[in-house]
Amino acid sequence: GGNQQDVVVHVSNRGGRSMGSGQHGVARARRMSLRAHAIGSEQKERVIQGRVKMVVVAPLERHAPTGLRSPWGPPPTMKQVLERAAEKAELDVTWVNGDIVVGRNQRDIEREMIDAASDTPICMAIQVQDERMGNTIIRSLEKIRTQRKQTETQSEDVRNRAMGKSAAMNFISLGGTAQLSTASKLLAYEVQGNMFTSVIRRFFLQRNDWAKGKELYTTMTDLYERYNADDLSYLMRLYASECVRWDKEAHLDAGGPAFDTLSCMLTNCRSEVLACLMDQNCRTAITKLSSCGIRDQVKSYQIIASYESELFASFSLCVLQKHNCMGNTAAMPQSPNVQPMQAFRGKPMSHSIAQDILIGWLRKEKEYSWRVYAGQNAAYDRFPCQYQLFYFGKAKGSMWYDPVFRVETLDGNKVWRRRHYRVRKGDLPGTFHFSVLDNGVVSKEFWKVVECAEDMSWCILYYEGAASAAGTSYQGSILATADGLAPPAHAQERIERVLEQCDIKTWELTTVDNMCELCSNAPLSIEDGGWV
């Protein structure tokens, strides 16, 4: 009933949902392939079962920073959060505790770091805010780099084949002391290095590596400061890709569009391209998308939602969807293999029952089906004031899904955005195919009704999808209620169990801003003569 706190959960495990336009204006990426070889019989292999090795120093038993907290229950430890991120990034991480504790002195920590870094060129420190620990890490890095310089002169072949581009120790500090941050060094870029050496590297000997190292430092810092599990995992994968072994799913951009991309755009979409470039709003969107990074879906979609327009959609429709000038392709994720629920209220699951679950509270007691309380996907499931509308269309057998949400644009304005999905029944009861034209690019999704309380107080849905023309696949999750408030306490344990089956941790959810003043006057009118 209307007085209950009623819940919907949409589930995903990693990555971001491209709403169709995250790859606009992005060049073809550089392709660098490095085989992993053993360094020697006396050392460990750098890659175990295909995974790049990394050293991470962090206060492992302390609580994770705000932004990585469960909507209910105790907050996770740094180790839980970082292990989860490393697992998603498919990295083999050696952990070093970033706290100085009784029975463990600074020399012990130095030995731990030196041993851990013996066969990897990448190390990071996260949330190390103890000055003594920071100084210990800096001394360890100095010793490691001294040893590496000797190794480089002794064996050029081993350096290139086993350690990526360089055996020198790359290091970055995120959320730590100011002194430790200045010790960061990525490729040829040093945050605080010798000025003469920096000038030589930047403008002469290592110009490309200096620029890429600086961009990598800026990107990783920005990703970390968002404090969410998706971006933490992505920054670790990006680090490994740029410093050790190229990864097509995580890399920096290579520069401007390739010749064949430009040729395709000007041959097939000249009027759409020129119209976009002549319009300040559309031109700004393209410029910002080109500079934000090919796989940064959080920033990409914020730009798209801020600057979307008919000109922008026409540009995307022609360049990406109709002519695929970027040469993109993508398929829906195939794991985890989440099954739809088999029965509801003692009856076998049917499409009719599943449709009733989706429609939820619409036109019973509310103007919408559900409101989002918390979301998992950092790019798309965490906008303020998210309303969901599921309803039947005017045509026989048709059904629609309209998400309505609030966006704070990059220039500080607050605007409403809305999408319009076509919904078709899947082969199995409780499954549905969704499709949407979002800013000129088609996204296709497969949804499953995973679980629902008998009193309709909460429901769990799972979806996976792909925007092939944008070259992205995705999964996403939301936890929604009838009024945007927290789910009933008695449902929390059951929700956690179902999320766990879908490979979701509750602390991967982030609470949505549902302030009354912010969320009033939402555009909730139903299109296509819809009914429920």
Side-chain angles (χ1 to χ4, degrees), residues 276-291:
C276 182
L277 294 179
M278 293 294 290
D279 178 78
Q280 181 177 354
N281 186 77
C282 191
R283 183 172 64 250
T284 300
I286 297 300
T287 302
K288 288 183 176 293
L289 283 167
S290 298
S291 64

Side-chain angles (χ1 to χ4, degrees), residues 486-523:
H490 66 80
Q492 292 173 2
E493 185 177 346
R494 184 177 173 187
I495 290 171
E496 289 179 10
R497 287 200 306 268
V498 177
L499 288 174
E500 192 69 33
Q501 293 170 7
C502 299
D503 197 24
I504 302 284
K505 307 295 184 184
T506 56
W507 48 261
E508 292 180 293
L509 304 176
T510 297
T511 304
V512 168
D513 186 353
N514 283 320
M515 290 177 56
C516 294
E517 306 80 29
L518 184 66
C519 300
S520 60
N521 302 317

Side-chain angles (χ1 to χ4, degrees), residues 51-166:
R51 294 193 173 195
V52 174
K53 294 190 70 176
M54 179 186 295
V55 177
V56 176
V57 187
L60 300 176
E61 302 308 318
R62 296 193 183 188
H63 289 160
T66 302
L68 293 167
R69 302 290 178 92
S70 173
W72 59 79
T77 64
M78 285 293 295
K79 186 172 184 180
Q80 288 175 310
V81 170
L82 293 173
E83 283 183 338
R84 178 72 166 168
E87 176 189 353
K88 288 186 174 184
E90 299 180 334
L91 298 171
D92 178 30
V93 175
T94 299
W95 308 101
V96 176
N97 192 352
D99 275 326
I100 297 178
V101 296
V102 177
R104 183 170 176 261
N105 58 40
Q106 296 180 27
R107 288 187 178 181
D108 293 333
I109 297 169
E110 282 188 29
R111 283 195 294 269
E112 285 182 43
M113 279 200 63
I114 293 171
D115 290 344
S118 64
D119 51 1
T120 178
I122 50 178
C123 174
M124 68 167 60
I126 298 179
Q127 290 291 121
V128 176
Q129 298 175 346
D130 183 286
E131 293 288 350
R132 294 174 302 163
M133 186 67 193
N135 292 334
T136 301
I137 293 173
I138 292 172
R139 287 196 302 271
S140 302
L141 290 169
E142 291 173 350
K143 292 180 180 179
I144 292 168
R145 285 167 177 160
T146 299
Q147 294 175 359
R148 291 287 168 84
K149 287 180 181 179
Q150 298 172 353
T151 303
E152 283 184 330
T153 58
Q154 293 170 1
S155 180
E156 187 78 8
D157 181 64
V158 168
R159 172 174 65 88
N160 287 331
R161 297 168 67 187
M163 285 293 195
K165 291 196 66 177
S166 174

